């Protein structure tokens, strides 16, 4: 089959749009099972019958598309997700559901009246999934996952199999990302309808755009937070739970949930989702950038830590602006640290790309090899590039200053009164470069 990559999806959408006048791809996605939950059916109606294979599509493309949208709980999100050029994994069900709502709004096509009233764009993308996930966890022993985990592909150049990195929740990362993208693209289409292939290509930077720098999809967390605003997500989850209480398939699930508990569930769901997927930055796991195994046995850190040490990599000297370039830089640094320096692994706890993403080195829980004499006392965070004379992009500076550090404090990994140092303050080195060092002197916690 073609790779499970957003490029493949765009090619399929383009072929369908060119050959089927008046044909809407989101309706086809719904027919194939992309919107099979009770709430989504209530909002968008019963799915149409599955059509015959369109003559415009080769058999392997049609087979891939049907597999990606087929509703199969055992296969989701493995079967329903694709790899985007920015390195994120996107579930197509909530993506196309949000797009369909946007198209209906743009053309004035009504959706069935729902009581109580809901924002249909959030209902079909995230509100039902979020409310259901936290509702199901309410009676559990407290260890049931409600959000996440991330996952990894077998081969980022020819992705076919996606494996989760932990116990699945109803909203693994791929579903959360597909839902946020469905909200953003649905809202964009409602304002300015354009061909769907053009919309997807522009947002994800597929095809020739992949090496040109950051695509809009890499800003999804910021843009979703701005569009959704404080209180909006909680409000929509409450509204969706009230709708689900009236629908026969889900009535029993909510029969003993009172109004106050419903609000409490929605508040918790909205708060947790916002912290994980909006306020905290995305971190690319080791298996996505192609890490070698750790050599030996890693030593655990005792959390929370008290310090952060800022570095620049110096070599590679150029910032990496795409997932492919940053993954190459990570592999090169790990080879150097393991083969030349003789370390067990890449030294940094986290590495900062200029593509909008952090890359996991040793991570939150294991002692690194970044700041001699201080490795067990703090996290080492390295910016890809040489920042002796220039600064990272403002977005890249903010990724650590405004997102990673507050997130580490909120999640109990870093003391609230942490100290922040440049590497040069603790060793004989110019790291993190004069420009970056003068920048971090202005940050909270600098000492």
């Amino acid at each position: 089959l073609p790779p499970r990559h957003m490029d493949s999806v765009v090619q399929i959408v383009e072929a369908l749009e060119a050959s089927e006048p008046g044909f809407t791809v989101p309706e086809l996605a719904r027919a194939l099972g992309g919107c099979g939950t009770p709430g989504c059916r209530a909002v968008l109606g019963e799915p149409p019958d599955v059509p015959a294979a369109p003559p415009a599509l080769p058999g392997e493309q049609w087979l891939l598309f049907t597999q990606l949208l087929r509703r199969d709980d055992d296969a989701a999100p493995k079967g329903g997700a694709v790899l985007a050029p920015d390195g994120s994994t996107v579930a197509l069900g909530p993506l196309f559901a949000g797009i369909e709502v946007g198209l209906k709004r743009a053309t004035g096509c009504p959706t069935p009246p729902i009581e109580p009233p809901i924002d249909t764009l959030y209902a079909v993308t995230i509100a039902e999934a979020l409310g259901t996930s936290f509702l199901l966890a309410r009676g559990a022993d407290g260890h049931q996952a409600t959000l996440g985990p991330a996952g990894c592909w077998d081969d980022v150049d020819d992705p076919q199999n996606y494996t989760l990195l932990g116990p699945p929740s109803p909203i693994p990362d791929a579903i959360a990302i597909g839902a946020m993208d469905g909200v953003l693209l649905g809202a964009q289409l409602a304002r300015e309808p354009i061909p769907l292939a053009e919309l997807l290509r522009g947002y994800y930077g597929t095809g020739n755009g992949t090496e040109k720098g950051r695509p809009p999809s890499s800003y999804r967390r910021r843009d979703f937070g701005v569009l959704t605003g404080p209180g909006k997500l909680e409000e929509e989850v409450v509204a969706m739970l009230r709708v689900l209480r009236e629908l026969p398939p889900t009535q029993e699930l909510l029969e003993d949930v009172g109004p106050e508990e419903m609000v409490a569930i929605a508040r918790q769901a909205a708060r947790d989702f916002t912290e994980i997927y909006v306020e905290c930055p995305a971190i690319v796991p080791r298996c996505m950038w192609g890490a070698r195994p750790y050599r030996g046995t890693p030593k655990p850190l005792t959390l929370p830590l008290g310090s952060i040490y800022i570095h620049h990599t110096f070599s590679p000297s150029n910032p990496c602006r795409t997932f492919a370039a940053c993954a190459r830089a990570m592999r090169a640094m790990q080879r150097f640290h393991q083969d030349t320096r003789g370390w067990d692994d890449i030294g940094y706890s986290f590495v900062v790309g200029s593509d909008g993403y952090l890359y996991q080195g040793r991570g939150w829980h294991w002692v690194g090899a970044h700041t001699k004499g201080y490795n067990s006392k703090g996290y080492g965070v390295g910016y890809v590039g040489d920042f002796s004379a220039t600064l990272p992009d403002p977005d890249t500076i903010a990724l650590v200053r405004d997102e990673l550090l507050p997130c580490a404090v909120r999640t109990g990994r870093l003391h609230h009164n942490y100290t922040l140092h440049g590497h040069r303050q603790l060793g004989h080195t110019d790291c993190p470069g004069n420009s970056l060092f003068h920048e971090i002197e202005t940050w909270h916690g600098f000492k």
Side-chain angles (χ1 to χ4, degrees):
L1 290 178
R4 292 175 183 262
H5 195 279
M6 191 59 75
D7 283 312
S8 301
V9 175
V10 171
Q11 289 165 11
I12 291 168
V13 169
E14 196 160 41
L16 289 170
E17 287 188 314
S19 65
E20 304 281 348
F23 191 89
T24 86
V25 178
E27 285 179 345
L28 173 59
R30 193 151 50 88
L32 294 172
C35 172
T37 58
C40 200
R41 285 171 176 254
V43 171
L44 290 173
E46 289 300 309
D49 294 333
V50 178
L57 283 186
E60 64 271 16
Q61 284 189 322
W62 175 244
L63 182 57
L64 174 65
F65 201 56
T66 57
Q67 286 189 2
L68 289 173
L69 273 305
R70 185 178 62 218
R71 183 156 182 79
D72 179 353
D73 290 334
D74 292 333
K78 301 176 196 173
V82 296
L83 176 64
D86 67 356
S88 57
T89 298
V90 184
L92 294 187
L95 172 67
F96 279 121
I99 284 172
E100 184 171 358
V101 168
L103 286 171
K104 287 181 181 297
R105 288 182 179 178
T107 57
C109 181
T111 51
I114 304 284
E115 286 297 333
I118 53 172
D119 185 326
T120 53
L121 183 57
Y122 287 85
V124 301
T125 50
I126 190 59
E128 180 183 14
L130 202 48
T132 303
S133 181
F134 280 76
L135 188 64
L136 292 171
R138 140 186 176 271
D141 58 7
H143 299 291
Q144 183 167 336
T146 47
L147 297 168
C152 279
W153 291 92
D154 51 349
D155 181 344
V156 295
D157 295 318
D158 181 22
Q160 294 290 349
N161 297 297
Y162 183 69
T163 305
L164 295 175
L165 294 176
S169 75
I171 308 182
D173 283 9
I175 298 285
I177 290 168
M180 288 191 287
D181 288 354
V183 169
L184 292 169
L185 294 183
Q188 184 179 333
L189 274 175
R191 294 190 307 269
E192 180 192 2
I194 61 172
L196 188 50
E198 184 182 331
L199 175 80
L200 296 174
R201 184 175 287 113
Y203 181 72
Y204 292 108
T206 60
N208 293 332
T210 47
E211 291 295 332
K212 290 183 179 176
R214 290 186 67 172
S217 59
S218 71
Y219 292 97
R220 68 170 59 82
R221 292 179 179 232
R222 180 199 70 185
D223 294 347
F224 180 84
V226 169
L227 181 68
T228 306
K232 170 71 170 172
L233 197 53
E234 179 185 332
E235 179 185 311
E236 293 307 325
V237 174
V238 170
M240 196 67 215
L241 288 173
R242 288 174 181 149
V243 169
L244 294 176
R245 189 159 60 179
E246 305 303 318
L247 297 177
T250 47
Q251 275 175 339
E252 191 176 335
L253 197 58
L254 284 134
E255 63 185 0
D256 62 340
V257 181
E260 289 183 6
E261 188 178 7
M262 212 178 281
V263 170
I265 290 169
R267 182 173 297 129
Q268 184 71 47
R271 186 189 304 135
D272 287 6
F273 184 90
T274 301
E275 179 176 279
I276 293 171
Y277 296 111
V278 179
E279 295 172 347
C280 284
I283 298 174
V284 177
R286 292 169 60 90
C287 51
M288 278 296 289
W289 58 261
R292 293 171 172 181
Y294 188 97
R295 291 178 180 167
T297 304
K299 296 175 184 168
L301 291 165
T302 302
L303 305 186
L305 300 184
S307 296
I308 287 281
Y309 310 115
I310 301 296
H311 300 247
H312 70 165
T313 63
F314 191 71
S315 176
S317 60
N318 293 321
C320 59
R321 301 191 183 280
T322 66
F323 165 66
C326 292
R328 281 196 300 271
M330 292 296 291
R331 293 192 297 271
M333 284 186 282
Q334 187 186 39
R335 281 195 303 273
F336 176 67
H337 289 176
Q338 286 185 323
D339 299 346
T340 304
R341 292 275 174 87
W343 298 345
D344 293 334
D345 196 3
I346 189 170
Y348 304 112
S349 308
F350 298 99
V351 176
V352 192
S354 293
D355 62 337
Y357 293 92
L358 291 158
Y359 287 75
Q360 181 186 354
R362 303 281 179 111
W364 293 116
H365 300 289
W366 307 111
V367 175
H370 44 79
T371 315
K372 191 172 181 180
Y374 298 87
N375 289 317
S376 63
K377 298 175 181 173
Y379 294 113
V381 178
Y383 278 85
V384 177
D386 174 1
F387 296 107
S388 305
T390 59
L391 277 174
D393 302 333
D395 287 340
T396 308
I397 290 172
L399 189 60
V400 175
R401 183 191 63 204
D402 303 338
E403 297 178 46
L404 178 67
L405 298 182
C407 172
V409 172
R410 281 195 307 271
T411 54
R413 290 148 171 162
L414 191 62
H415 276 296
H416 69 91
N417 58 343
Y418 66 86
T419 58
L420 183 139
H421 297 277
H423 185 194
R424 62 174 61 181
Q425 295 174 273
L426 305 166
H428 299 294
T429 175
D430 290 332
C431 179
N434 287 340
S435 291
L436 184 54
F437 182 73
H438 293 318
E439 164 62 33
I440 67 170
E441 284 181 303
T442 68
W443 291 12
H444 173 77
F446 179 84
K447 192 169 182 180

